[in-house]
């Protein structure tokens, strides 16, 4: 049953134009032509494009996910949510289960080391209205791995499989797993454990092919992604160092992955997503300011003014950098006391942004926005 043809027929790998060589090499060749607008599936969930917005702790708030959907991501993900926190009904953790009507399809990611607690968390994620339950076997942060969760699970395949099995039995939603290549540098553990996770019930695997030890140094080695694709019968998502359309097309064509996942390149830069989807052109200053102000307003609604004020500071540099505004401008914004002052200063720098923002707000879907009316408060690393 395994084989490239069968996977292609099942929509698990994208259509690539005939003259593209599937062997690696020739990275970012302009000859590569992959249709990122093709839909595909994880279990019975249809995903309208081959671009996935990465889960990022301290970043993946609703505003980020909704923006990602508007700019072309076919699937968006919550940041990692602690199954222990959910089990204790910790108000802050429950806040991560707020889901807006225009986020779907959405994967909510959970982490933990105990199969029973992870199963309970998966049921809560299902009740909250998520489309996919994602399991984190990739977090390299010591605070998480020392509890046996995150990337540590890659070292304990029996436990990892028990977690996947318990979660898959607890929910009718498709279960996906996101992992690193392994713990030590050069590890190939993902290739051993990947097929076992699928046998245990994973309907999709996302691979960020760096070791946990590497954190974010070095490069994601997508030759491992290609090897993983050959070993499993479920769609594989490629994560890591995919900031552009050329790179996305090359990774899709040379690995056979079903989709690419984009994280850091989309921070304060949703235009990276639309570029990957085939739209050219840098945003104007007015567009940048309008998106930032919209992001600020939505984040205040989600986190409350106090939390949002601190949370948003890192986003100013992300939005206004890349040569879009002079560097001191960001410093000026960070020092302002209220978000209202920040807004006024932004509009003074790009007056036309008010009209762009009005149009954006008019176009946003209205109504049934939040299923669980709870505050979100904590943001861990990941
Ligand atoms: C600030 C930050 C937070 C992250 N948090 C998570 C997380 O909660 N769960 C997860 O699976 N991966 C997390 N990641 C990893 C990303 O999802 C992604 O795999 C990684 O950044 C590589 O992709 P990129 O090169 O496109 O950023 C995080 C990454 C960053 C930079």
């Amino acid at each position: 049953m395994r084989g490239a043809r069968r996977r292609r027929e099942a929509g698990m790998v994208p259509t690539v134009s005939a003259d593209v060589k599937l062997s690696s090499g020739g990275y970012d060749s302009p000859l590569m032509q992959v249709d990122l607008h093709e839909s595909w599936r994880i279990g019975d969930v249809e995903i309208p494009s081959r671009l996935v917005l990465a889960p990022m702790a301290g970043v993946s708030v609703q505003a980020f996910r909704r923006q990602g959907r508007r700019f072309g991501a076919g699937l968006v993900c919550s940041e990692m949510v602690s199954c222990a926190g959910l089990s204790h009904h910790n108000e802050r953790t429950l806040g991560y289960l707020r889901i807006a009507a225009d986020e779907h399809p959405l994967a909510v990611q959970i982490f933990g080391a105990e199969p029973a607690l992870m199963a309970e968390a998966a049921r809560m994620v299902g009740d909250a209205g998520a489309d996919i339950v994602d399991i984190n076997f990739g977090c390299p942060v010591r605070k998480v791995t020392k509890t046996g969760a995150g990337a540590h699970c890659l070292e304990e395949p029996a436990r990892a499989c028990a977690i996947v099995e318990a979660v898959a039995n607890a929910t009718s939603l498709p279960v996906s797993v996101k992992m690193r290549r392994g713990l030590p540098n050069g590890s190939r553990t993902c290739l051993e454990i990947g097929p076992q996770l699928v046998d245990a019930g994973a309907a999709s695997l996302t691979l960020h092919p760096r070791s946990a030890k590497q954190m974010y140094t070095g490069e994601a080695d997508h030759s491992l992604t290609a090897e993983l694709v050959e070993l499993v019968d479920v769609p594989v998502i490629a994560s890591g160092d995919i900031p552009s359309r050329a790179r996305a097309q090359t990774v899709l064509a040379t690995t056979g992955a079903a989709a690419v996942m984009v994280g850091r390149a989309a921070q304060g830069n949703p235009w990276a997503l639309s570029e990957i989807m085939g739209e050219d052109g840098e945003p104007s200053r007015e567009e940048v300011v309008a998106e930032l102000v919209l992001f600020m307003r939505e984040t205040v609604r989600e986190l409350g003014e106090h939390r949002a004020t601190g949370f948003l500071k890192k986003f100013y540099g992300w939005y206004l950098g890349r040569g879009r505004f002079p560097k001191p401008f960001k410093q000026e914004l960070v020092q302002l006391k209220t978000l209202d002052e920040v807004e006024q200063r932004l509009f003074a720098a790009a007056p036309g942004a008010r009209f762009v923002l009005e149009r954006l707000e008019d176009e946003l879907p209205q109504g049934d926005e939040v299923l669980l009316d709870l505050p979100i408060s904590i943001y861990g690393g990941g």
Side-chain angles (χ1 to χ4, degrees):
M1 279 294 279
R2 288 184 177 154
R5 190 166 143 228
R6 197 198 50 71
R7 280 195 298 273
R8 203 167 298 285
E9 280 167 5
M12 282 160 50
V13 291
T15 309
V16 182
S17 66
D19 53 346
V20 172
K21 289 190 185 65
L22 283 178
S23 57
S24 56
Y27 262 14
D28 301 349
S29 153
L31 283 178
M32 308 275 180
Q33 275 309 320
V34 174
D35 184 5
L36 278 124
H37 294 85
E38 256 181 346
S39 71
W40 58 292
R41 286 176 179 274
I42 294 180
D44 57 3
V45 175
E46 179 161 5
I47 299 171
S49 78
R50 294 190 180 270
L51 175 60
V52 179
L53 189 63
M56 286 187 285
V59 177
S60 298
V61 287
Q62 262 185 10
F64 185 73
R65 304 187 310 240
R66 297 171 79 184
Q67 182 185 65
R69 292 284 289 124
R70 277 192 292 121
F71 279 78
L75 176 66
V76 297
C77 308
S78 81
E79 66 180 84
M80 49 193 269
V81 182
S82 156
C83 74
L86 289 179
S87 169
H88 290 122
H89 288 254
N90 179 307
E91 187 189 286
R92 292 177 167 196
T93 315
L94 287 169
Y96 290 115
L97 300 187
R98 289 166 60 135
I99 296 171
D102 55 348
E103 292 184 63
H104 298 284
L106 166 81
V108 169
Q109 188 185 71
I110 54 176
F111 73 97
E114 291 304 324
L117 284 185
M118 289 289 274
E120 186 187 343
R123 277 189 287 271
M124 294 173 78
V125 166
D127 290 346
D131 302 287
I132 293 168
V133 181
D134 189 53
I135 299 176
N136 181 313
F137 288 160
C139 181
V141 173
R142 172 112 186 94
K143 196 173 77 180
V144 170
T145 54
K146 76 175 184 207
T147 67
H152 177 86
C153 287
L154 300 173
E155 293 284 287
E156 278 195 79
R159 178 188 290 276
C161 290
I163 289 173
V164 171
E165 202 175 333
V167 167
N169 287 336
T171 176
S172 58
L173 300 180
V175 175
S176 57
V177 171
K178 182 163 180 287
M179 61 181 169
R180 292 234 174 185
R181 64 182 293 166
L183 257 61
N185 288 346
S187 170
R188 294 169 60 82
T189 301
C190 60
L191 302 179
E192 284 156 38
I193 202 171
Q196 296 176 43
L197 299 174
V198 172
D199 288 343
S204 164
L205 300 175
T206 301
L207 180 63
H208 175 198
R210 279 187 171 88
S211 69
K213 183 146 189 262
Q214 271 183 289
M215 302 292 284
Y216 293 93
T217 61
E219 277 173 23
D221 178 359
H222 284 295
S223 67
L224 280 172
T225 313
E227 287 189 64
L228 183 64
V229 167
E230 286 302 316
L231 293 173
V232 295
D233 276 340
V234 296
V236 172
I237 302 172
S239 168
D241 304 341
I242 308 175
S244 64
R245 178 161 70 221
R247 185 72 181 138
Q249 294 216 346
T250 303
V251 169
L252 285 171
T254 57
T255 63
V260 286
M261 177 179 273
V262 175
R264 289 166 295 173
Q267 291 172 334
N269 191 26
W271 299 277
L273 302 176
S274 46
E275 192 271 339
I276 288 172
M277 291 305 293
E279 272 172 43
D280 283 323
E282 263 292 295
S284 66
R285 282 183 161 202
E286 284 71 24
E287 285 170 305
V288 172
V289 166
E291 279 297 336
L292 174 53
V293 173
L294 178 64
F295 190 84
M296 290 165 59
R297 289 182 181 177
E298 286 196 36
T299 305
V300 167
R301 277 219 320 269
E302 187 180 351
L303 303 183
E305 176 103 22
H306 179 69
R307 285 196 59 76
T309 305
F311 175 85
L312 285 166
K313 284 190 196 284
K314 59 182 178 280
F315 283 86
Y316 303 149
W318 288 340
Y319 273 92
L320 306 173
R322 304 169 208 270
R324 290 171 183 156
F325 285 83
K327 271 195 183 146
F329 186 47
K330 182 202 108 180
Q331 288 310 329
E332 203 185 311
L333 294 186
V334 171
Q335 274 149 29
L336 293 174
K337 292 225 159 39
T338 67
L339 290 178
D340 202 42
E341 286 173 282
V342 175
E343 246 191 47
Q344 296 317 316
R345 187 64 194 87
L346 283 166
F347 284 137
R354 285 183 191 278
F355 305 107
V356 182
L357 178 62
E358 254 172 51
R359 208 174 55 232
L360 272 177
E361 288 186 324
D362 281 350
E363 285 168 4
L364 281 182
Q366 304 293 324
D368 174 30
E369 251 191 18
V370 171
L371 298 178
L372 279 182
D373 193 16
L374 291 161
I376 292 185
S377 334
I378 46 161
Y379 290 93

